[in-house]
Protein backbone atom coordinates (compact mmCIF):
# COMPACT_ATOMS: atom_id res chain seq x y z
CA UNK A 1 0.00 0.00 0.00
CA UNK A 2 2.82 2.36 0.82
CA UNK A 3 5.06 1.66 -2.19
CA UNK A 4 2.57 0.53 -4.79
CA UNK A 5 -0.01 -2.27 -5.13
CA UNK A 6 2.62 -4.88 -6.05
CA UNK A 7 4.01 -5.23 -2.53
CA UNK A 8 2.07 -7.45 -0.19
CA UNK A 9 2.73 -9.20 3.09
CA UNK A 10 3.24 -12.93 2.91
CA UNK A 11 0.60 -14.69 5.04
CA UNK A 12 1.31 -18.28 6.08
CA UNK A 13 -1.57 -20.70 5.33
CA UNK A 14 -3.32 -22.39 8.29
CA UNK A 15 -2.10 -25.86 9.41
CA UNK A 16 -5.20 -27.55 8.00
CA UNK A 17 -4.49 -26.11 4.58
CA UNK A 18 -0.86 -27.25 4.75
CA UNK A 19 -1.95 -30.80 5.64
CA UNK A 20 -4.24 -30.84 2.64
CA UNK A 21 -1.47 -29.46 0.45
CA UNK A 22 0.98 -32.16 1.57
CA UNK A 23 -1.53 -34.89 0.69
CA UNK A 24 -2.12 -33.29 -2.70
CA UNK A 25 1.63 -33.15 -3.39
CA UNK A 26 2.02 -36.87 -2.62
CA UNK A 27 -0.77 -37.71 -5.09
CA UNK A 28 0.67 -35.30 -7.65
CA UNK A 29 4.12 -36.86 -7.37
CA UNK A 30 2.75 -40.32 -8.20
CA UNK A 31 0.98 -39.01 -11.31
CA UNK A 32 3.40 -36.34 -12.53
CA UNK A 33 7.01 -37.02 -11.44
CA UNK A 34 8.33 -34.36 -13.79
CA UNK A 35 6.20 -31.69 -12.17
CA UNK A 36 7.20 -32.92 -8.72
CA UNK A 37 10.86 -32.61 -9.72
CA UNK A 38 10.24 -28.93 -10.44
CA UNK A 39 8.70 -28.60 -6.97
CA UNK A 40 11.79 -30.26 -5.46
CA UNK A 41 14.05 -27.68 -7.09
CA UNK A 42 11.99 -24.96 -5.45
CA UNK A 43 12.33 -26.63 -2.04
CA UNK A 44 16.11 -26.73 -2.44
CA UNK A 45 16.12 -22.97 -3.04
CA UNK A 46 13.91 -22.54 0.01
CA UNK A 47 16.40 -24.43 2.16
CA UNK A 48 19.24 -22.27 0.84
CA UNK A 49 17.34 -19.21 1.95
CA UNK A 50 16.58 -20.80 5.33
CA UNK A 51 12.83 -20.81 4.72
CA UNK A 52 10.32 -23.48 5.74
CA UNK A 53 8.15 -25.46 3.35
CA UNK A 54 5.19 -23.33 4.38
CA UNK A 55 6.07 -20.34 2.18
CA UNK A 56 3.35 -18.63 0.21
CA UNK A 57 3.96 -19.81 -3.36
CA UNK A 58 1.96 -16.91 -4.82
CA UNK A 59 4.83 -14.49 -4.13
CA UNK A 60 8.50 -14.41 -5.06
CA UNK A 61 9.93 -12.28 -2.27
CA UNK A 62 12.23 -9.32 -2.90
CA UNK A 63 13.88 -8.55 -6.24
CA UNK A 64 16.51 -11.14 -7.29
CA UNK A 65 20.13 -10.27 -8.02
CA UNK A 66 21.72 -10.82 -11.43
CA UNK A 67 25.29 -10.10 -12.52
CA UNK A 68 26.07 -6.74 -14.15
CA UNK A 69 22.56 -5.37 -13.63
CA UNK A 70 20.20 -3.93 -11.03
CA UNK A 71 16.48 -3.05 -10.78
CA UNK A 72 15.76 0.03 -12.88
CA UNK A 73 13.41 1.49 -10.30
CA UNK A 74 14.83 2.20 -6.86
CA UNK A 75 11.67 1.08 -5.09
CA UNK A 76 11.87 -2.34 -6.74
CA UNK A 77 15.35 -2.85 -5.28
CA UNK A 78 14.24 -2.43 -1.68
CA UNK A 79 14.21 -5.58 0.46
CA UNK A 80 11.78 -4.14 3.02
CA UNK A 81 9.14 -1.43 3.28
CA UNK A 82 7.33 0.31 6.11
CA UNK A 83 3.72 -0.82 6.46
CA UNK A 84 1.68 2.11 7.76
CA UNK A 85 -1.15 -0.21 8.83
CA UNK A 86 0.93 -2.53 11.02
CA UNK A 87 3.51 0.18 11.79
CA UNK A 88 6.25 -2.34 11.11
CA UNK A 89 9.05 -2.78 8.61
CA UNK A 90 8.14 -5.82 6.52
CA UNK A 91 9.79 -7.81 3.69
CA UNK A 92 8.91 -6.95 0.10
CA UNK A 93 7.05 -9.67 -1.80
CA UNK A 94 6.18 -9.39 -5.49
CA UNK A 95 3.14 -11.35 -6.60
CA UNK A 96 2.95 -13.97 -9.34
CA UNK A 97 2.68 -12.36 -12.76
CA UNK A 98 4.40 -9.13 -11.75
CA UNK A 99 7.58 -8.04 -13.51
CA UNK A 100 10.69 -6.18 -12.40
CA UNK A 101 12.64 -4.26 -15.01
CA UNK A 102 16.44 -4.49 -14.76
CA UNK A 103 19.02 -2.20 -16.32
CA UNK A 104 22.56 -3.23 -17.27
CA UNK A 105 25.62 -1.62 -15.71
CA UNK A 106 27.59 0.87 -17.81
CA UNK A 107 29.52 -0.98 -20.50
CA UNK A 108 27.07 -3.89 -20.65
CA UNK A 109 24.13 -4.60 -22.98
CA UNK A 110 21.69 -7.46 -23.43
CA UNK A 111 23.18 -8.57 -26.75
CA UNK A 112 26.84 -7.52 -26.45
CA UNK A 113 26.59 -4.69 -29.00
CA UNK A 114 27.74 -1.25 -27.86
CA UNK A 115 24.43 0.24 -28.99
CA UNK A 116 22.40 -2.77 -27.89
CA UNK A 117 19.52 -2.85 -25.45
CA UNK A 118 20.23 -2.26 -21.79
CA UNK A 119 17.07 -3.50 -20.10
CA UNK A 120 15.34 -6.82 -19.53
CA UNK A 121 12.64 -8.10 -17.22
CA UNK A 122 12.34 -10.76 -14.54
CA UNK A 123 8.84 -12.12 -14.03
CA UNK A 124 7.52 -13.66 -10.82
CA UNK A 125 6.26 -17.12 -11.84
CA UNK A 126 3.21 -18.72 -10.26
CA UNK A 127 5.34 -21.15 -8.23
CA UNK A 128 7.30 -18.39 -6.52
CA UNK A 129 10.43 -18.00 -8.68
CA UNK A 130 11.74 -15.22 -10.90
CA UNK A 131 12.14 -15.87 -14.63
CA UNK A 132 14.59 -13.46 -16.34
CA UNK A 133 14.17 -12.94 -20.07
CA UNK A 134 17.74 -11.77 -20.68
CA UNK A 135 21.29 -11.31 -19.36
CA UNK A 136 23.77 -8.44 -19.44
CA UNK A 137 26.92 -9.04 -21.47
CA UNK A 138 30.00 -6.81 -21.67
CA UNK A 139 29.73 -4.64 -24.78
CA UNK A 140 32.34 -5.46 -27.41
CA UNK A 141 33.61 -3.84 -30.60
CA UNK A 142 32.64 -7.10 -32.29
CA UNK A 143 29.04 -6.07 -31.84
CA UNK A 144 26.00 -8.26 -31.32
CA UNK A 145 26.61 -11.79 -30.12
CA UNK A 146 26.07 -14.51 -32.74
CA UNK A 147 23.10 -16.83 -32.49
CA UNK A 148 24.26 -20.37 -31.73
CA UNK A 149 21.75 -23.19 -32.22
CA UNK A 150 20.81 -24.84 -28.92
CA UNK A 151 23.10 -22.51 -26.94
CA UNK A 152 22.88 -19.20 -25.13
CA UNK A 153 25.28 -16.67 -23.55
CA UNK A 154 25.87 -16.97 -19.80
CA UNK A 155 26.77 -13.31 -19.31
CA UNK A 156 30.40 -14.08 -18.47
CA UNK A 157 33.30 -12.70 -20.52
CA UNK A 158 37.08 -12.65 -20.05
CA UNK A 159 39.73 -10.93 -22.18
CA UNK A 160 37.43 -10.54 -25.17
CA UNK A 161 36.08 -14.09 -24.92
CA UNK A 162 32.36 -14.55 -24.33
CA UNK A 163 31.07 -17.70 -22.64
CA UNK A 164 28.16 -19.71 -24.01
CA UNK A 165 26.42 -22.80 -22.64
CA UNK A 166 24.62 -25.58 -24.49
CA UNK A 167 20.94 -25.69 -23.61
CA UNK A 168 19.58 -28.28 -21.22
CA UNK A 169 19.57 -31.70 -22.90
CA UNK A 170 22.49 -30.76 -25.19
CA UNK A 171 26.28 -31.02 -24.94
CA UNK A 172 29.32 -30.41 -27.12
CA UNK A 173 30.05 -34.12 -27.56
CA UNK A 174 26.56 -35.61 -27.45
CA UNK A 175 27.29 -37.17 -24.06
CA UNK A 176 25.39 -36.43 -20.86
CA UNK A 177 26.69 -33.47 -18.86
CA UNK A 178 27.97 -35.31 -15.80
CA UNK A 179 27.60 -33.85 -12.30
CA UNK A 180 31.01 -33.01 -10.91
CA UNK A 181 32.52 -32.58 -14.37
CA UNK A 182 32.38 -28.77 -14.12
CA UNK A 183 30.42 -28.61 -17.39
CA UNK A 184 33.47 -29.27 -19.56
CA UNK A 185 31.31 -30.64 -22.38
CA UNK A 186 28.72 -27.90 -22.05
CA UNK A 187 30.47 -24.52 -21.86
CA UNK A 188 32.49 -22.91 -24.65
CA UNK A 189 33.89 -19.48 -25.52
CA UNK A 190 33.94 -17.34 -28.64
CA UNK A 191 36.77 -14.85 -29.10
CA UNK A 192 36.32 -11.32 -30.41
CA UNK A 193 38.97 -11.07 -33.12
CA UNK A 194 40.90 -7.79 -33.00
CA UNK A 195 41.84 -7.60 -36.70
CA UNK A 196 38.39 -8.32 -38.13
CA UNK A 197 36.15 -6.86 -35.44
CA UNK A 198 33.98 -9.99 -35.55
CA UNK A 199 33.52 -13.03 -33.36
CA UNK A 200 35.25 -16.20 -34.41
CA UNK A 201 33.02 -18.82 -35.99
CA UNK A 202 31.74 -21.55 -33.72
CA UNK A 203 32.89 -24.77 -35.38
CA UNK A 204 31.40 -27.12 -32.80
CA UNK A 205 27.84 -28.18 -32.20
CA UNK A 206 25.52 -28.55 -29.25
CA UNK A 207 24.18 -32.07 -29.74
CA UNK A 208 21.20 -33.67 -28.00
CA UNK A 209 22.19 -36.27 -25.40
CA UNK A 210 18.78 -36.97 -23.92
CA UNK A 211 15.14 -36.97 -24.91
CA UNK A 212 13.95 -33.44 -25.59
CA UNK A 213 10.16 -32.83 -25.62
CA UNK A 214 8.84 -32.26 -29.12
CA UNK A 215 6.81 -29.20 -28.18
CA UNK A 216 8.78 -25.98 -28.39
CA UNK A 217 7.03 -24.62 -25.29
CA UNK A 218 8.41 -27.45 -23.18
CA UNK A 219 11.93 -26.91 -24.54
CA UNK A 220 11.77 -23.22 -23.65
CA UNK A 221 10.35 -24.05 -20.21
CA UNK A 222 13.27 -26.36 -19.46
CA UNK A 223 15.82 -23.72 -20.46
CA UNK A 224 14.12 -21.05 -18.39
CA UNK A 225 13.86 -23.38 -15.38
CA UNK A 226 17.59 -23.98 -15.43
CA UNK A 227 18.51 -20.30 -15.82
CA UNK A 228 16.01 -19.42 -13.10
CA UNK A 229 17.29 -21.94 -10.58
CA UNK A 230 20.94 -21.03 -11.10
CA UNK A 231 20.28 -17.28 -10.99
CA UNK A 232 18.18 -17.56 -7.81
CA UNK A 233 20.69 -19.93 -6.18
CA UNK A 234 23.65 -17.64 -6.99
CA UNK A 235 21.75 -14.59 -5.81
CA UNK A 236 20.98 -16.23 -2.46
CA UNK A 237 24.61 -17.23 -1.89
CA UNK A 238 25.97 -13.82 -2.88
CA UNK A 239 23.53 -11.96 -0.61
CA UNK A 240 24.55 -14.17 2.32
CA UNK A 241 28.23 -13.62 1.52
CA UNK A 242 27.77 -9.86 1.45
CA UNK A 243 26.39 -10.14 4.99
CA UNK A 244 29.44 -12.14 6.07
CA UNK A 245 27.53 -15.34 6.80
CA UNK A 246 26.88 -18.80 5.36
CA UNK A 247 23.24 -19.45 4.23
CA UNK A 248 21.39 -21.02 7.16
CA UNK A 249 19.67 -23.63 5.00
CA UNK A 250 22.76 -25.21 3.42
CA UNK A 251 22.77 -28.21 5.77
CA UNK A 252 19.21 -29.11 4.69
CA UNK A 253 19.77 -28.90 0.93
CA UNK A 254 20.55 -32.61 0.49
CA UNK A 255 17.63 -33.84 2.59
CA UNK A 256 15.50 -34.66 -0.48
CA UNK A 257 18.18 -36.54 -2.42
CA UNK A 258 18.62 -40.31 -2.33
CA UNK A 259 21.02 -41.87 -4.86
CA UNK A 260 22.82 -38.55 -5.36
CA UNK A 261 22.94 -37.54 -1.68
CA UNK A 262 26.69 -38.24 -1.44
CA UNK A 263 27.44 -35.99 -4.42
CA UNK A 264 25.16 -33.31 -2.99
CA UNK A 265 26.88 -33.48 0.40
CA UNK A 266 30.24 -33.05 -1.33
CA UNK A 267 29.00 -29.89 -3.07
CA UNK A 268 27.68 -28.46 0.21
CA UNK A 269 30.94 -29.21 2.04
CA UNK A 270 32.91 -27.50 -0.73
CA UNK A 271 30.80 -24.33 -0.83
CA UNK A 272 30.91 -24.04 2.98
CA UNK A 273 34.69 -24.32 2.83
CA UNK A 274 34.75 -21.71 0.05
CA UNK A 275 32.62 -19.36 2.15
CA UNK A 276 34.98 -19.68 5.10
CA UNK A 277 38.16 -19.11 3.09
CA UNK A 278 36.80 -16.28 0.93
CA UNK A 279 35.23 -14.44 3.88
CA UNK A 280 38.55 -14.64 5.69
CA UNK A 281 40.38 -13.41 2.59
CA UNK A 282 37.93 -10.52 2.16
CA UNK A 283 38.33 -9.48 5.80
CA UNK A 284 42.12 -9.42 5.44
CA UNK A 285 41.86 -7.49 2.17
CA UNK A 286 39.54 -4.87 3.68
CA UNK A 287 41.76 -4.41 6.72
CA UNK A 288 44.91 -4.03 4.65
CA UNK A 289 43.30 -1.64 2.17
CA UNK A 290 41.07 0.16 4.69
CA UNK A 291 37.97 -0.42 2.60
CA UNK A 292 34.56 0.93 3.57
CA UNK A 293 31.06 -0.27 2.68
CA UNK A 294 31.01 1.83 -0.49
CA UNK A 295 34.17 0.15 -1.81
CA UNK A 296 32.54 -3.27 -2.34
CA UNK A 297 33.45 -3.31 -6.04
CA UNK A 298 37.14 -2.63 -5.40
CA UNK A 299 39.37 -4.52 -7.90
CA UNK A 300 40.90 -7.66 -6.40
CA UNK A 301 38.46 -7.81 -3.49
CA UNK A 302 37.75 -11.51 -2.73
CA UNK A 303 34.24 -12.71 -3.49
CA UNK A 304 32.15 -15.86 -3.85
CA UNK A 305 30.92 -15.36 -7.45
CA UNK A 306 32.81 -18.15 -9.23
CA UNK A 307 32.38 -20.61 -6.37
CA UNK A 308 28.64 -19.87 -6.23
CA UNK A 309 28.36 -20.39 -10.01
CA UNK A 310 30.03 -23.81 -9.77
CA UNK A 311 27.92 -24.91 -6.80
CA UNK A 312 24.61 -23.86 -8.34
CA UNK A 313 25.36 -25.34 -11.79
CA UNK A 314 26.46 -28.66 -10.31
CA UNK A 315 23.49 -28.75 -7.92
CA UNK A 316 21.14 -28.20 -10.86
CA UNK A 317 22.62 -31.22 -12.61
CA UNK A 318 21.76 -33.38 -9.61
CA UNK A 319 18.21 -32.01 -9.70
CA UNK A 320 17.70 -32.73 -13.42
CA UNK A 321 17.07 -36.41 -12.68
CA UNK A 322 15.99 -36.46 -9.01
CA UNK A 323 15.71 -39.77 -7.16
CA UNK A 324 11.96 -39.98 -6.54
Amino acid sequence: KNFGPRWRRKIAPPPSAMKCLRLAIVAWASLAPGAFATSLRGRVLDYLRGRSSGRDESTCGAAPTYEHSKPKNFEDARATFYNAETKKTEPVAFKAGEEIEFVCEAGYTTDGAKDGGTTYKAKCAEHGYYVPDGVCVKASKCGKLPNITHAMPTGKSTNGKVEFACAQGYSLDGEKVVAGGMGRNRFFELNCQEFSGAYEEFTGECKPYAFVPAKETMRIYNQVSEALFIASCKGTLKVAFSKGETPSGLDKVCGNFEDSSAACSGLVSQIKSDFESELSARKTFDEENKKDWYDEAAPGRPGIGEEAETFCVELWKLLEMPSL
Side-chain angles (χ1 to χ4, degrees):
K1 180 177 180 180
N2 300 287
F3 288 96
R6 298 195 297 174
W7 293 5
R8 296 290 186 272
R9 287 189 300 161
K10 291 188 285 185
I11 303 175
S16 58
M18 288 306 301
K19 180 178 180 180
C20 180
L21 177 61
R22 284 194 294 270
L23 292 174
I25 289 176
V26 171
W28 180 32
S30 64
L31 296 174
F36 188 70
T38 301
S39 174
L40 173 59
R41 295 165 191 148
R43 288 163 65 187
V44 168
L45 287 176
D46 279 345
Y47 283 134
L48 281 173
R49 299 185 180 108
R51 297 176 182 172
S52 67
S53 59
R55 66 176 283 184
D56 178 3
E57 294 193 350
S58 64
T59 62
C60 294
T65 57
Y66 301 117
E67 292 188 46
H68 312 306
S69 61
K70 63 181 179 180
K72 185 174 182 179
N73 298 318
F74 171 75
E75 291 182 354
D76 289 344
R78 295 172 64 95
T80 61
F81 74 104
Y82 180 74
N83 189 320
E85 295 181 355
T86 63
K87 301 187 183 304
K88 295 180 179 179
T89 298
E90 301 178 354
V92 171
F94 287 90
K95 297 192 302 181
E98 293 177 338
E99 296 180 327
I100 303 173
E101 187 171 17
F102 283 76
V103 60
C104 296
E105 296 176 353
Y108 289 80
T109 63
T110 54
D111 63 3
K114 291 185 177 181
D115 59 350
T118 57
T119 63
Y120 65 93
K121 295 180 180 179
K123 184 176 182 179
C124 175
E126 61 179 335
H127 292 298
Y129 311 108
Y130 286 105
V131 181
D133 62 8
V135 296
C136 289
V137 182
K138 190 172 183 179
S140 168
K141 68 177 183 180
C142 286
K144 187 176 181 180
L145 293 174
N147 291 320
I148 307 296
T149 304
H150 305 308
M152 62 202 76
T154 65
K156 298 177 64 176
S157 60
T158 306
N159 299 324
K161 295 181 178 180
V162 180
E163 184 182 71
F164 284 76
C166 292
Q168 182 184 0
Y170 292 80
S171 68
L172 296 171
D173 55 9
E175 299 294 329
K176 182 174 177 60
V177 178
V178 180
M182 307 299 289
R184 293 187 181 90
N185 62 337
R186 185 184 177 217
F187 297 97
F188 61 93
E189 295 178 323
L190 293 184
N191 186 39
C192 173
Q193 299 174 322
E194 294 279 342
F195 63 90
S196 65
Y199 285 101
E200 64 178 321
E201 182 180 357
F202 176 53
T203 57
E205 178 185 0
C206 285
K207 307 172 184 178
Y209 68 80
F211 171 75
V212 178
K215 293 184 179 180
E216 181 69 6
T217 54
M218 283 302 296
R219 185 183 69 82
I220 294 175
Y221 175 80
N222 288 338
Q223 292 179 359
V224 169
S225 294
E226 177 181 13
L228 172 61
F229 177 87
I230 294 175
S232 297
C233 173
K234 285 173 57 182
T236 299
L237 294 176
K238 292 174 73 173
V239 168
F241 186 83
S242 67
K243 296 179 180 178
E245 58 187 32
T246 301
S248 59
L250 271 177
D251 291 330
K252 298 180 181 179
V253 167
C254 302
N256 294 292
F257 292 87
E258 291 179 6
D259 295 341
S260 55
S261 61
C264 178
S265 296
L267 290 175
V268 170
S269 296
Q270 182 61 52
I271 193 65
K272 290 173 72 174
S273 175
D274 291 337
F275 257 79
E276 183 177 347
S277 60
E278 291 301 320
L279 283 173
S280 176
R282 171 170 285 196
K283 181 179 179 181
T284 300
F285 178 89
D286 291 347
E287 291 175 349
E288 293 178 349
N289 294 275
K290 298 181 180 179
K291 296 296 179 183
D292 293 311
W293 62 270
Y294 49 79
D295 292 324
E296 286 193 359
R301 191 169 188 246
I304 200 69
E306 293 185 5
E307 293 81 358
E309 170 85 16
T310 298
F311 172 78
C312 296
V313 168
E314 296 304 315
L315 189 60
W316 168 264
K317 294 171 187 174
L318 296 181
L319 288 168
E320 283 185 301
M321 296 293 289
S323 304
L324 296 176

